[in-house]
Amino acid sequence: AQAAVLKQVAQASAPGQRLMINTRKKILKEKGATPTSLEEEVAKALFDIEVSPSCDFKAELREIYLSGATEIEVGKGGAAVIVHIPFRAWKFAKKIQSRLIKELEKKFSRKHVILVANRTILDKDFRRKGMKVRPRSRTLTAVHEAILEDVVGPTEIVGKRTRIGTDGSKILKILLDPRDKDKEHVDNKLPVFSAVYKKLTTKEAIFSFPQV
């Protein structure tokens, strides 16, 4: 009788274990670090979207996993989830960026979702690390520019200006493509872009659509 009960318990827990294993496949942490509850939640959302019968971008989604996730406050009572994607998986995420964000935002109701690639900045002592030349894409400026494009993606940037305050502080003014087909949806995310960009780079930026 005891064996039968144990068998039933094992059968009952098997689907949950399989789900946990499949969910964990969507997370790649450095040096086997333990994922946070938010990261597990994002991984489960990615897996659920991938196995959904209505998903029409399964091939790309199979190649996508996250390396981290952070939640930040935006404005009064708002929140955004920043999902970090390993650089080698970013090309797949970029292909479906708009659709994936919308599907993830359905899973995280009342929270904005921003996808960004993991990029490494090489400082000026790169030669000590055995490199003769520092690739331009690994400089601080280039990485911050790439983060800017990730944060607003797939909306395109059509203009950039730097405004210098009387106290010497710098504020970036970023103009987004007014022809973007998701302009109405993106309009609501402009304060989110500013908050996320500051969180990732410590730089102040204001995002807007130019008047046409």
Side-chain angles (χ1 to χ4, degrees):
Q2 190 178 7
V5 170
L6 288 171
K7 188 178 179 182
Q8 284 179 339
V9 170
Q11 286 173 339
S13 62
Q17 285 178 336
R18 279 198 297 273
L19 177 63
M20 195 171 81
I21 290 165
N22 287 325
T23 297
R24 282 290 175 92
K25 283 180 183 175
K26 285 290 180 190
I27 309 174
L28 184 69
K29 297 283 288 179
E30 277 188 22
K31 296 172 185 171
T34 306
T36 64
S37 57
L38 176 63
E39 287 162 356
E40 289 189 338
E41 206 178 332
V42 175
K44 184 181 182 306
L46 286 172
F47 180 72
D48 287 347
I49 296 165
E50 186 183 319
V51 297
S52 167
S54 60
C55 178
D56 60 354
F57 47 89
K58 290 178 188 284
E60 290 85 0
L61 209 41
R62 277 191 206 104
E63 306 297 330
I64 296 170
Y65 44 95
L66 67 133
S67 56
T70 317
E71 186 172 321
I72 63 166
E73 288 182 15
V74 179
K76 293 178 181 177
V81 177
I82 308 167
V83 181
H84 299 269
I85 310 282
F87 190 74
R88 60 180 172 272
W90 181 245
K91 62 181 178 182
F92 301 103
K94 205 167 169 59
K95 278 185 190 176
I96 57 169
Q97 195 171 1
S98 178
R99 287 181 292 168
L100 182 54
I101 286 170
K102 284 177 183 174
E103 290 301 319
L104 283 170
E105 286 182 340
K106 287 178 192 173
K107 302 279 186 187
F108 291 88
S109 60
R110 299 186 182 177
K111 289 179 186 176
H112 298 282
V113 173
I114 301 287
L115 306 179
V116 293
N118 280 357
R119 291 183 172 87
T120 308
I121 296 166
L122 282 177
D123 53 28
K124 291 177 182 177
D125 69 346
F126 61 92
R127 287 189 179 86
R128 289 185 194 167
K129 294 169 183 171
M131 299 182 75
K132 291 181 181 177
V133 178
R134 176 172 59 167
R136 189 195 168 278
S137 64
R138 304 285 287 279
T139 63
L140 178 77
T141 303
V143 168
H144 283 189
E145 280 178 7
I147 289 171
L148 198 56
E149 289 175 6
D150 291 353
V151 167
V152 302
T155 303
E156 291 190 4
I157 294 167
V158 294
K160 293 178 195 171
R161 287 203 300 272
T162 303
R163 195 172 73 198
I164 300 174
T166 51
D167 60 350
S169 60
K170 291 180 180 180
I171 298 177
L172 278 169
K173 293 194 80 176
I174 309 298
L175 299 176
L176 303 176
D177 189 353
R179 298 166 300 174
D180 192 286
K181 65 180 188 293
D182 274 343
K183 183 175 181 290
E184 200 173 315
H185 176 67
V186 174
D187 245 335
N188 298 323
K189 297 185 86 164
L190 299 178
V192 178
F193 295 159
S194 297
V196 171
Y197 188 67
K198 185 172 184 179
K199 170 73 176 175
L200 296 174
T201 66
T202 71
K203 290 180 178 177
E204 299 279 355
I206 298 169
F207 298 81
S208 62
F209 286 101
Q211 298 298 318
V212 289

